[in-house]
Every structure is written in structure tokens, then in C-alpha cells.
Amino acid sequence: MPNLVFSGCRNKIQGNDKLIKKVLIANRSEIACRIIRSCKAMGIETVAIYSDADKDALHVKSADYAYYIGESEAKKSYLDMEKVIHAALESGCDAVHPGYGFLSENHEFNRKVRQSGLIFIGPSAESMELMGSKTSSRTLMIEHGIPVVPGTFIDKLADKEIAELASEIGYPILIKAAAGGGGKGMRVVRASNDLLSAIESARRESMSAFGSDEVFIEKYVENPRHIEFQIAADQHGNIVHLFERECSIQRRHQKIIEETPSTALTNDLREKMGEVAKKVCQVANYNNLGTVEFLFDNAGNFYFLEVNARIQVEHPITEETTGIDLVKLQIDIANDLPLPFEQKDLKQSGHAIECRIYAEDGDNDFLPSSGKILMLRVPAGEGVRYDSGIETDSNVTIYYDPILAKLIVHADDRESARLKMIEALKSNVILGVKTSINFMIACLETDEFKSGETFTSFIETHYENLKNYRQDELLNLALATANQYLYDTETSQIIHDYSKSNPWLEMGTWEICSKYEARSL
Amino acid sequence: MILSYNNHNYRVYDDNGSYDINKVKFDVTLSQTSKGSYRAITSEKSYDVFVANDEEFLYLFVEGKQFTFRKLSEDNISHGTDALDKGTGEIHAPMPGSVVKVLVKVGDSVEVGTPVLIIEAMKMESTLYADIEGVVTAVNAIEKEQVGTEKALVVIEVVGD
């Protein structure tokens, strides 16, 4: 046996037969479809999983194989670790891609996947556990001199102690789910008498979304920006950042419009934050794709918030500006390949914006909407990308996050990207469920967005002016068209009825005549 | 025909190429380009308008803005349009979901805006509030129950004195 202990060449020595060949995607909707796309481009087979509610879903049709894993309720399907792992083993997969949400940041799932002999496409279970708990990651970052927002975790504390800690930090207070992300289990409390009921509610929401009710409280920084850095770290100690994403336009602490580059960063600041983001991952022995989130205040201070140990919803804007397929990169890292670039090779090119198309009523406090997609028209054109989880006739159910698709545009500069996005949104016809499309057009049209004045309070501040955008202007047009449509539909039904009747019975008495006679008639 | 939008009713008549909407003239030329797709030309601008329907509603999309209309007959109009403006005391879920917490019990006095129920749909909680002042006379929901929009989950009645 030759001596093969030479880590730099490990992958070459292993050869292609050890690379991932078949992936189970432990997710649904647009991100499952997105992962399938990269897998197909890499020649990797894909297995989708689905619940009762998703048996006709797009991700099921897009995958090479699909595996039924249970009832519609997420707890009984997409969140059931044993069922997911069983599906991966039964279907002969060698790896599991967790996507985002569901089990993606569950270190126990990560560990179980690995223990069952499968590759988990993500960071090690240890670094995920460390980063997954916002409390332990905070402690680690404080130890390494990384700036954090003042706060504390409150589990196993009596109500009175919690109230005292909150007063010490000072109101307003932010309650966050330790296991969470995406605004689930998050509450802002402005006065002490609302504290305990908000904590109770945050715990319930966290339990149902993430299977854990651990929450913590911190100082709520008013009117900050949310700026995050994309990190890629391999299993050989190499680490780079792929620049920032500004995700300040949020409703209920959940991002809806993201862009890169951020208008708030100078090159110096970008470099400084990028280096801090890399250090965050270094000290946690982080070894796959991840996102380091920062709060950025008006004075240019930035505070470490958390690491998202998974692919982010908004990853496409980084792909558009760097030209790198991040899902492929995740799989390459999981295959133990070294990063194919160094920091100096990476450049941001142009400007990208993403709008998340949610099934929700932008004019009515973003109340989720369910129903059947009766019509879908997907925007297209140069620099326009649509990462979709739906098609015509798809059912949008009440069981899962209401994301339908993501619209991403890329252009030379910010203003061109903004204009391109508005046009693309206007052509993204979705009928049958309510969407946030018009609301996002309204956001993009504001002077504040145009000038880059994007803060996390943007929607709260401008909501009354943004909702019902162009409603009065377009209502008569819609009413007239509805009237015409009903008329046309009824008319075409009458024509249709004629066509079903028997022409031989309706043509009356005819005579057969010669060609010449017929012409003369 | 009569179309209802956001609790307002609109009487629309096709008046030979121009439309009469609640007795106001609206000029637009409409041509169907494909099933459910219309080109609308007004004096200022042209638009693409998209329409679809199910048993209950008409859905429209124009330049990103969606409208959901319900077609009404004259019968619908004569019954209780007023009821839409004022609270009914019957609290329904705004969308199908599961009951997280019932916050009131029969006999409780409530005011407009008193939280009565928390429901969850799509992993998000929403609170339902009393829409009239009165006393809770029925609670038709239990925690963890899956509920639709039809059932009155909490019934509040005005107390006569």
C-alpha cells in the first residue's frame, strides 16, 4: 500500500468514485428546485421528499426520484429526522442537502445523517451546534473580541429575573429564538408589561417552527441596517468571503428585498467587515458555506448577530455578482475539495437585487394567502432570473412558509437593477393567491429606496404610504376588464355548446349540386 | 353587473366601448389577446391585464397590482351590506389554520379590540380581536384544532340593559 496520508491530494487519490452521486434534498418549494438544478448540472442524481400536501409540487416533478415521507404537517414529514434519513438510505443516496429552514440548522439531524453513513452537505455538526445556538456563538465571539449587541439568554429563569434583566439592558428589547431565523419567534417589546406575554408567544412560535422553545433577549438597536457576509470555508482551512448582502427591507423581521453591494459600505468598511466575518467562522472551525449577519448602525458601527449555517434564501444575488454557483460550491466542499479560489480572485461585478415573492397580502399586514395558482407568467430577459417553487395549478397550502418564488435581477449599476426589477415584477403575473409583488414595486419606487436609505424600519415607517399602491388608478381598468372577461367567458361557453351539438341535425335540408352550380350560388 | 371589492360594490355596464362604473364614464378599449389576457388602451396608456376565476372569485393582475372581485347579484346587495361595515360579533379565522390559544371564555365581557383567540397558519401567529363590545356567548374552538374560515370561533353578543 502506498502512503496516501497527504491531505492536499486526498481528493485526487480518492478518485471520482468517492464523490457524491445521489443527493436527497430534505426540503421543498423553490430551494429544493434550486438545489436540484445545480445537482443536474453536476451530473448528480436527485431525490425529493414530499408530504401529502406536496404530492403534486414542482420540486417533486423536478427531481429524478421522489419519496413520500408523511402527513402535511411539517412535524410529521419535513421535520421528522428519522423519516428523512430513512428516505435517503432507502433511495440509495450518498448525501443529504438540507436547504434552508426545516432541519437545515439542526445539529442533531446533521449528526444523525453522518452517523448513518451519509454525507451532510453543510458544516460539521460541532460548528453547527456552536453557531446554531445564538447564546453559545455570542459567548465565543465576545471571547474573540468580535463586537456584539448587549443581551442575555433567559432560559430557566423566573419571570421576575427576566424582567429585571430586561430593565437592565433597557427597552426596547428584542426577543429571539435561539434556534431560529427568518423572524420566526421574534418579538420587539417596547414596555415592560408586554414582556412576559411576548416571551410566551415567541416560545410557542419557535417550538412550532424549529422544535425548540429556547429564546433570548437583547437590546433592540433602533433603525439599523442588516448587512451580512457570505462566507465559504473548506475542510482544509481555507476561508474566503464573497462580499456582503444588504437585507434591510424586512417585514416582521423577515427579509423581502435584498441587494448587493450595499450602498452603506465603503471599500475599507467592506474589507474590514469581511475580515471580521472570516474570523467569526475561523474561531468556530466552520467548514462549509455560511452567512455572518451584522447589524449596522447609523454611525457605521457593526455588531455580530449570528451565523446562518446553511444556504440563504438570498444567495442568488451573490451568485449574480460573483459568478459563482453557491450550491455547487457547497457540494464541492462536502466532497472534500479545496476552495477553487482565493480572496484576491474574487470580485463584485454590477448590482443585483432579489425580491421574494410571498403568498401574502401586502395591503393587509402581509396576511398569508393560500389557494391555487390559476395563472403564472414568469419574467424573463437578460439579467432576469426566477427561482420558482410553483407552476400553474400548484396548490399553495397553509402548512408551510408562504414563499412562492424569488425574482433576481442583475445589471451594471444599482439604478439599472432597480428599474429592471420594477419591470420584471410588473410582468410576474400570479393569479389565484395574493402576493407581495405590488407592495415591493411600491418599495422600489420610493425616493428612500432610490437613494439607498434602506433601514430595517423601512416598511414599518412607510407602510401606510406603500400599501394599496396604485389601487385607485387601476381599479376602473380592472373592473372594466372583469366585466369584459365575464362577458367573453359566457359567450365562449355558448359557442362551445353549439360545437357540441350535432351539425347533421341542425343544417336543415340541403341539396347536393355540381361544382358549377355551387359557384353560381 | 355588480362586482364587490374590499366591501364596496361597483355597478359596471358596458356602454358600447365605454364603461359606466357607479354612474361614472370610463373609456377603455379592451381586446382579448389570449384566454384571460387583455390589452387595455385608455387615452393615456396601454396596459396588459390578466384575469382568471374560480367558483368564488375573479382575480386580476395589472402591472403588479392584484384585484380580487366577487360577482354579486341584486339579491346579495339587498341583504346586509351594512353588516360589513360594523362588527358582527362573530369572530372567524381570516384563513384556515390551527388554534394556538383561546383567550376568552363564555361570560367574559369584551370591548372592541380585546384579543379573543390566537391562530397559526403558515408558521405565523395572528391574534383575532373582538369587533363589538359585549359578552362572549359561545366559544367554538379548542386549542390545536384545525379550523376553516366558515365557523364563528367566538360569538359575542351585545348586552341589553
Side-chain angles (χ1 to χ4, degrees):
Chain A
M1 276 283 287
N3 184 1
L4 302 181
V5 188
F6 192 67
S7 73
C9 294
R10 211 167 117 207
N11 194 69
K12 280 180 196 151
I13 291 161
Q14 280 179 343
N16 282 339
D17 54 329
K18 292 282 166 59
L19 297 180
I20 292 166
K21 288 192 191 62
K22 191 171 184 179
V23 173
L24 178 121
I25 295 136
N27 217 294
R28 61 180 298 282
S29 190
E30 70 85 19
I31 193 62
C33 297
R34 165 71 191 89
I35 295 161
I36 290 167
R37 211 163 66 225
S38 281
C39 287
K40 284 189 172 163
M42 297 174 78
I44 296 171
E45 285 193 298
T46 51
V47 179
I49 54 173
Y50 65 97
S51 67
D52 285 325
D54 275 343
K55 60 183 192 299
D56 297 317
L58 184 60
H59 78 276
V60 175
K61 295 177 194 168
S62 307
D64 297 310
Y65 307 93
Y67 203 98
Y68 170 75
I69 49 152
E71 290 171 46
S72 303
E73 206 186 325
K75 267 184 236 163
K76 293 174 179 166
S77 48
Y78 299 103
L79 284 173
D80 187 324
M81 298 185 212
E82 304 305 327
K83 280 184 186 165
V84 174
I85 292 169
H86 180 75
L89 294 171
E90 278 288 296
S91 56
C93 288
D94 41 29
V96 172
H97 194 306
Y100 58 68
F102 294 123
L103 296 168
S104 63
E105 291 182 279
N106 187 315
H107 61 87
E108 200 187 326
F109 176 66
N110 182 333
R111 205 165 270 129
K112 282 184 176 175
V113 167
R114 292 171 196 269
Q115 280 164 359
S116 61
L118 297 159
I119 295 171
F120 181 87
I121 301 173
S124 69
E126 294 71 36
S127 61
M128 178 177 276
E129 181 169 12
L130 185 62
M131 296 313 216
S133 164
K134 290 177 189 178
T135 51
S136 62
S137 66
R138 269 178 68 92
T139 312
L140 181 73
M141 294 314 146
I142 293 167
E143 275 168 25
H144 287 86
I146 285 158
V148 300
V149 179
T152 179
F153 87 110
I154 53 169
D155 262 50
K156 300 182 188 79
L157 293 183
D159 290 355
K160 194 165 160 267
E161 289 174 277
I162 295 174
E164 277 167 15
L165 285 169
S167 308
E168 225 169 85
I169 293 167
Y171 287 89
I173 290 282
L174 186 64
I175 306 166
K176 289 164 103 178
K184 302 267 156 54
M186 207 184 258
R187 296 283 185 283
V188 178
V189 184
R190 295 191 180 273
S192 56
N193 28 344
D194 297 332
L195 182 70
L196 297 174
S197 63
I199 288 173
E200 195 193 337
S201 167
R203 281 188 167 141
R204 274 197 308 268
E205 208 168 282
S206 171
M207 186 50 119
S208 101
F210 311 111
S212 152
D213 67 355
E214 198 185 339
V215 298
F216 70 96
I217 58 173
E218 64 178 31
K219 172 96 190 142
Y220 182 58
V221 180
E222 295 265 16
N223 213 24
R225 288 175 189 262
H226 175 114
I227 298 179
E228 60 187 30
F229 273 72
Q230 178 69 59
I231 295 294
D234 64 17
Q235 305 190 50
H236 305 275
N238 303 307
I239 182 162
V240 297
H241 73 81
L242 291 95
F243 311 102
E244 80 279 16
R245 291 184 290 253
E246 158 128 18
C247 313
S248 298
I249 312 283
Q250 307 184 351
R251 54 114 184 88
R252 286 197 208 99
H253 304 285
Q254 193 170 30
K255 305 154 189 170
I256 59 170
I257 302 175
E258 302 99 347
E259 64 178 313
T260 184
S262 164
T263 57
L265 295 193
T266 58
N267 281 337
D268 285 352
L269 207 42
R270 177 172 294 117
E271 201 172 310
K272 190 172 156 199
M273 288 174 82
E275 288 307 311
V276 171
K278 277 156 72 172
K279 189 174 173 194
V280 165
C281 290
Q282 244 151 18
V283 301
N285 288 322
Y286 195 84
N287 55 0
N288 203 298
L289 226 64
T291 297
V292 181
E293 296 191 335
F294 295 105
L295 269 191
F296 186 92
D297 75 13
N298 286 328
N301 300 310
F302 58 92
Y303 306 95
F304 167 77
L305 275 182
E306 58 174 308
V307 170
N308 295 133
R310 54 169 156 85
I311 190 91
Q312 295 275 98
V313 180
E314 59 275 22
H315 76 275
I317 56 174
T318 298
E319 297 187 319
E320 294 302 316
T321 47
T322 61
I324 295 165
D325 178 338
L326 294 178
V327 173
K328 178 177 184 294
L329 189 59
Q330 283 188 302
I331 297 172
D332 284 343
I333 293 170
N335 268 328
D336 211 8
L337 293 169
L339 290 179
F341 38 66
E342 293 173 36
Q343 192 66 55
K344 64 177 170 50
D345 302 327
L346 299 167
K347 270 211 306 278
Q348 281 174 303
S349 147
H351 198 98
I353 305 178
E354 174 182 277
C355 282
R356 300 188 186 185
I357 315 292
Y358 280 108
E360 62 185 17
D361 188 351
D363 297 335
N364 189 8
D365 288 323
F366 308 99
L367 195 68
S369 171
S370 58
K372 187 179 191 154
I373 306 290
L374 301 172
M375 189 190 285
L376 170 68
R377 291 204 176 196
V378 172
E382 212 233 308
V384 178
R385 166 175 167 182
Y386 201 71
D387 282 16
S388 180
I390 53 161
E391 57 187 344
T392 305
D393 291 338
S394 287
N395 282 307
V396 180
T397 67
I398 59 162
Y399 297 103
Y400 315 111
D401 188 80
I403 197 160
L404 300 175
K406 299 174 324 204
L407 177 54
I408 305 104
V409 301
H410 184 222
D412 290 341
D413 55 72
R414 186 172 188 269
E415 180 59 8
S416 313
R418 187 185 73 87
L419 293 170
K420 192 182 273 193
M421 179 56 90
I422 291 169
E423 283 316 302
L425 284 167
K426 284 182 178 176
S427 64
N428 185 194
V429 180
I430 296 177
L431 295 178
V433 295
K434 295 202 163 106
T435 74
S436 47
I437 289 174
N438 195 49
F439 184 82
M440 293 190 289
I441 296 173
C443 292
L444 294 167
E445 295 271 25
T446 58
D447 290 338
E448 287 78 7
F449 190 92
K450 273 185 217 169
S451 58
E453 299 292 304
T454 49
F455 303 101
T456 53
S457 58
F458 182 92
I459 289 178
E460 209 182 324
T461 310
H462 301 292
Y463 187 69
E464 288 307 312
N465 296 326
L466 293 170
K467 70 173 187 181
N468 298 327
Y469 183 64
R470 296 182 76 200
Q471 177 159 298
D472 296 342
E473 178 194 341
L474 298 170
L475 177 61
N476 279 350
L477 190 67
L479 287 166
T481 313
N483 184 78
Q484 187 64 37
Y485 170 78
L486 286 174
Y487 174 79
D488 289 343
T489 311
E490 280 155 23
T491 318
S492 73
Q493 269 163 4
I494 294 164
I495 294 166
H496 187 66
D497 288 345
Y498 271 124
S499 72
K500 272 200 281 190
S501 63
N502 188 340
W504 301 108
L505 294 175
E506 295 196 0
M507 67 182 192
T509 314
W510 281 56
E511 255 178 66
I512 294 168
C513 36
S514 73
K515 262 185 190 169
Y516 177 78
E517 283 168 330
R519 206 174 290 144
S520 74
L521 291 169
Chain B
M1 71 181 62
I2 304 155
L3 296 167
S4 145
Y5 176 63
N6 281 356
N7 296 338
H8 291 281
N9 297 330
Y10 298 87
R11 285 188 159 76
V12 186
Y13 299 105
D14 182 353
D15 189 9
N16 251 340
S18 125
Y19 291 83
D20 175 323
I21 298 170
N22 281 355
K23 302 210 159 66
V24 178
K25 192 164 143 35
F26 178 69
D27 279 318
V28 61
T29 312
L30 289 166
S31 49
Q32 190 171 206
T33 49
S34 61
K35 169 86 181 144
S37 161
Y38 288 81
R39 179 127 271 245
I41 301 170
T42 68
S43 54
E44 288 121 37
K45 216 182 144 203
S46 70
Y47 303 84
D48 288 314
V49 190
F50 301 88
V51 201
N53 70 291
D54 55 23
E55 299 77 38
E56 218 179 335
F57 298 108
L58 277 162
Y59 304 88
L60 285 95
F61 178 104
V62 50
E63 300 199 336
K65 171 70 188 167
Q66 291 176 312
F67 292 93
T68 306
F69 298 142
R70 190 196 288 272
K71 192 185 170 189
L72 299 180
S73 66
E74 288 292 346
D75 291 354
N76 297 124
I77 305 296
S78 49
H79 301 299
T81 34
D82 287 348
L84 292 169
D85 300 323
K86 223 168 45 196
T88 58
E90 292 192 1
I91 310 302
H92 294 258
M95 58 180 306
S98 69
V99 177
V100 176
K101 202 163 188 185
V102 182
L103 303 169
V104 290
K105 55 187 189 305
V106 172
D108 284 0
S109 296
V110 293
E111 290 168 20
V112 175
T114 305
V116 294
L117 203 78
I118 301 173
I119 73 151
E120 189 210 81
M122 289 171 163
K123 297 199 293 181
M124 225 183 52
E125 290 190 1
S126 350
T127 305
L128 307 184
Y129 301 94
D131 59 353
I132 61 167
E133 186 183 340
V135 169
V136 175
T137 55
V139 174
N140 305 316
I142 52 165
E143 281 168 28
K144 296 199 172 138
E145 183 186 349
Q146 291 286 331
V147 292
T149 56
E150 325 75 40
K151 185 165 86 168
L153 302 176
V154 173
V155 180
I156 302 157
E157 281 176 24
V158 182
V159 204
D161 37 7

